[in-house]
């Protein structure tokens, strides 16, 4: 099959976005334009045949792109999300089942340790195994002034973005076989923090440290741990307070590639890091940033 080179500046949506706001966690199905999670475009080639994946945040955005790609590569997939996101999750379930793969919907709040344990047990039993943990869920609320950053938000951002990683990995380790892959989701914010994301950016710095240390701890067990660092990607997170409203129209245009990324542009890396192709890759971070350097 021929594959022509395509200009990355114009390959995906590259105009101003319409102003829009939804209460978090926001429903992707109500965004305009709809994020592209590879629903129509991602083509698999058996790279994850027979694998069993849990994707947190798998209803929308980057997690949805990973979930669709995993199914098209031959994996059975469980997704976690919040109950408010059921409509998005049902769409993902249909897309996974259209590939002839098993789809398991496990809504619930990752800021609750007992739920994280339940999520892992349910994923393992419903999928009849577990060997890919793609930990993509995250919370981001921009606050201009530290004086206005509530302790409630501070705690919840750390619980969802950081503590849940400890809780899910702890619960999963007894089940994960040799060759399993854990993928966390950091951000350019984990390298170069914005002034209005003091809590969120700090969680992403924490994810960097957690992921790299965990990779060294689990290497002797034959389990790899890597992280993906997205730049500005068009997802529900951003239009539900992740950015101030006035930043939405030109979101992503200050990157070298002059546009926001689409979730599907991350799918290949989530697949690569999950698959045996990345057998010599652990303790690494892959940037998908439109050209923003991770430094
Ligand atoms: P998204 O809104 O589609 O995904 C985030 C998901 O997190 C939600 O769908 C929701 O299911 C989940 N979530 C939030 N709070 C939760 C809770 N308490 N319990 C369970 N699930 C919860 O947006 P996205 O941009 O695809 O976000 C995915 C990841 O990518 C996040 O970790 C985010 O920090 C990271 N990221 C995004 C960008 C970006 O520009 N969009 C940039 C860098 C990093
Ligand atoms: Mg969502």
């Amino acid at each position: 099959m021929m594959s022509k080179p395509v200009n990355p500046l114009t390959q995906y949506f590259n105009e101003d976005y319409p102003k829009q706001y939804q209460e978090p966690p926001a429903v992707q199905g109500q965004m305009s334009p709809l994020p592209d999670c590879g629903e129509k475009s991602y083509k698999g080639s058996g790279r994850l045949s027979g694998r069993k994946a849990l994707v947190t945040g798998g209803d929308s955005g980057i997690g949805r792109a990973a979930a669709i790609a995993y199914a098209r590569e031959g994996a059975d997939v469980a997704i976690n999300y919040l109950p408010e996101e059921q409509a998005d999750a049902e769409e993902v379930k249909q897309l996974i089942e259209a590939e002839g793969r098993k789809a398991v919907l496990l809504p619930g709040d990752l800021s609750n340790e007992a739920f994280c344990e339940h999520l892992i047990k349910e994923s393992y039993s419903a999928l009849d195994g577990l060997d890919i943990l793609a930990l993509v869920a995250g919370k981001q609320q921009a606050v201009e002034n530290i004086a206005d950053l509530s302790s409630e938000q501070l705690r919840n951002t750390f619980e969802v973005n950081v503590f849940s990683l400890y809780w899910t990995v702890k619960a999963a380790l007894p089940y994960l076989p040799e060759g399993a892959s854990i993928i966390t989701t950091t951000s350019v914010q984990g390298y170069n923090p914005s002034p209005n994301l003091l809590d969120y950016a700090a969680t992403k710095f924490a994810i960097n440290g957690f992921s790299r240390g965990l990779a060294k701890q689990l290497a002797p067990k034959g389990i790899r741990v890597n992280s993906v660092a997205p730049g500005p990607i068009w997802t529900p997170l951003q239009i539900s307070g992740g950015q101030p409203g006035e930043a939405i129209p030109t979101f992503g245009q200050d990157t070298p590639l002059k546009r926001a990324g689409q979730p599907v542009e991350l799918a290949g890396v989530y697949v690569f890091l999950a698959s045996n192709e990345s057998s010599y890759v652990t303790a690494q971070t892959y940037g998908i940033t439109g050209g923003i350097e991770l430094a």
Side-chain angles (χ1 to χ4, degrees), residues 25 28 56-63 80-82 85 108-111 135-140 156 160-161 185-188 200 204 229-238 251 263 270:
Q28 174 161 315
T56 67
D59 60 299
S60 61
I62 296 165
N80 164 251
Y81 52 93
L82 287 166
E85 301 171 297
D109 188 341
L110 292 171
S111 69
L135 303 172
V136 186
K139 174 189 164 91
Q140 175 182 333
N156 195 240
V160 175
N161 296 6
T185 306
T186 179
S187 169
V188 292
Y200 176 83
K204 295 298 175 178
I233 312 297
W234 182 242
T235 70
L237 180 98
Q238 299 295 359
F251 179 61
Y270 279 90

